[in-house]
């Protein structure tokens, strides 16, 4: 087991206080023990670990995502220094690719120009409508952030071009799918990745999670029937289409791929992905740190790291016996957690995922000839037939 990409927490603080944030508002308090920003010592040690990891595993490229908190809080000099240090430590025959996930509120044209020169791409996190954004993506004084985020998003479009106008959006099922789609088209988004809100069985059940199956099915119908050649790419819809037709092994959420992402906290701690913080306070904490440990030691000594790495094969009996398992892959690991069975559960979004996959598969098959359907070996799905094959009892 080895990592091929890191999410680097360059800042432990954020200028926003999003209501659904898994770092600050889902019960984990470990951010309070982290330095505000990543130090030069940690940067140099981490880059040496990346170099050794790439050489040992014959990796010719490695992917780094700058994250937080809010990564723009670190300032442009941090990134100039980071890339300069990387070029001194990592040989030229290993390609380091960079991206950043930001709320965009602190972005200026000068900052964006500098990041572009450093080959750091920027994705913007924005919610589904001005109302939803101003209710959920708020400053610490409760003020909404929509206008500032849109300003940052427009700077990305102008600096990087329309092809790089990419967004992350947490699904808000109180907002009409048609209006959300229009919102992102009006913004000029090239790609929108809709994310499930982070729930598991600690305080919720399959019955009271947001009805994302119906909502994303409505989004699929709108997007699929939009003949505009410039329409945005919508994930996870395109991910699921590819999985249904066997074009990819999958993602962190769906399919059968391994999950090679690790997190580096501002103090250098090596952890499994931080969204697993929803499973409990300090849940992802480890004894490993780039100052003293190789990156992949975590896989030898941490059950959680191995579980996440193989999360699409370490499935409960219900998932193993489900006909859509090759596409679903059990869903995201953190959404399966309960205090009783730990990760040995179906996703709390199980029914929602089944509804969505059934809808997408059936709609795509409706556009195929009978001959093509026979050749593909893909069949129509029935939600009721799938769900009645296993117990609906919640954990």
């Amino acid at each position: 087991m080895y990592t091929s990409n890191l999410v680097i927490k360059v800042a432990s603080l954020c200028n926003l206080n999003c209501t659904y944030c898994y770092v600050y508002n889902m019960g984990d308090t470990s951010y309070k023990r982290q330095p505000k920003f990543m130090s030069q010592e940690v940067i140099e040690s981490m880059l040496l670990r990346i170099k050794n990891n790439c050489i040992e595993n014959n990796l010719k490229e490695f992917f780094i995502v700058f994250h937080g908190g809010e990564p723009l809080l670190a300032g442009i000099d941090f990134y100039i220094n980071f890339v300069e240090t990387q070029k001194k430590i990592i040989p030229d025959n290993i390609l380091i690719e960079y991206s950043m996930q930001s709320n965009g509120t602190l972005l200026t044209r000068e900052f964006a120009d500098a990041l572009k020169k450093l080959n750091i791409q920027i994705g913007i996190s924005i919610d589904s409508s001005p109302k939803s954004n101003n209710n959920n993506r708020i400053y610490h004084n409760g003020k909404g952030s929509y206008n500032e985020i849109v300003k940052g998003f427009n700077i990305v479009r102008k600096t990087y071009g329309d092809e790089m106008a990419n967004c992350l959006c947490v699904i808000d099922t109180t907002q009409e799918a048609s209006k959300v789609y229009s919102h992102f088209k009006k913004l000029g988004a090239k790609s929108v990745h809709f994310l499930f809100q982070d729930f598991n069985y600690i305080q919720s059940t399959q019955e009271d999670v947001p009805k994302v199956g119906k909502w994303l099915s409505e989004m699929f119908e709108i997007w699929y029937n939009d003949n505009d050649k410039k329409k945005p790419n919508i994930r996870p819809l395109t991910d699921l289409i590819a999985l249904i037709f066997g074009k990819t092994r999958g993602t962190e959420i769906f399919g059968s791929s391994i999950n090679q992402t690790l997190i580096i906290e501002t103090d250098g701690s090596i952890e499994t992905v931080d969204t697993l913080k929803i499973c409990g306070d300090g849940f992802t904490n480890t004894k490993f740190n780039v100052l003293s440990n190789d990156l992949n030691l975590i896989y030898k000594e941490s059950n959680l790291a191995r579980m996440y790495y193989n999360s699409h094969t370490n499935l409960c009996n219900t998932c193993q016996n489900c006909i859509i398992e090759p596409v679903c892959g059990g869903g995201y690991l953190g959404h399966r957690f309960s205090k009783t069975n730990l990760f040995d559960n179906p996703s709390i979004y199980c029914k929602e995922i089944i509804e969505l996959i059934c809808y997408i598969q059936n709609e795509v098959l409706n556009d195929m000839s009978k001959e093509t359907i026979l050749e593909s070996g893909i069949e129509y799905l029935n939600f009721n037939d799938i769900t009645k094959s296993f117990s609906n009892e919640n954990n």
Side-chain angles (χ1 to χ4, degrees), residues 39-92:
S39 70
Q40 181 67 12
E41 182 185 17
V42 169
I43 291 172
E44 292 177 3
S45 296
M46 176 176 57
L47 289 169
L48 282 169
R49 304 295 178 186
I50 292 172
K51 172 187 173 181
N52 293 338
N53 173 65
C54 290
I55 292 172
E56 290 171 8
N57 295 290
N58 196 30
L59 300 178
K60 299 304 181 184
E61 58 184 33
F62 195 88
F63 191 49
I64 290 175
V65 181
F66 294 114
H67 210 277
E70 170 49 49
L72 292 179
L73 285 170
I76 189 57
D77 288 343
F78 175 93
Y79 297 100
I80 293 172
N81 172 70
F82 190 101
V83 174
E84 288 178 349
T85 305
Q86 172 251 298
K87 290 179 178 179
K88 292 176 182 177
I89 292 176
I90 298 179
D92 293 340

Side-chain angles (χ1 to χ4, degrees), residues 224-261:
Y224 189 65
N225 293 297
D226 183 359
N227 295 319
D228 185 354
K229 293 182 179 180
K230 294 184 178 181
K231 69 181 180 181
N233 178 66
I234 303 292
R235 297 182 64 198
L237 305 182
T238 51
D239 296 333
L240 290 171
I241 292 173
L243 282 163
I244 288 168
F245 287 92
K247 300 298 184 182
T248 180
R249 289 192 63 197
T251 66
E252 177 192 40
I253 309 299
F254 299 119
S256 61
S257 63
I258 56 175
N259 294 322
Q260 295 180 293
T261 303

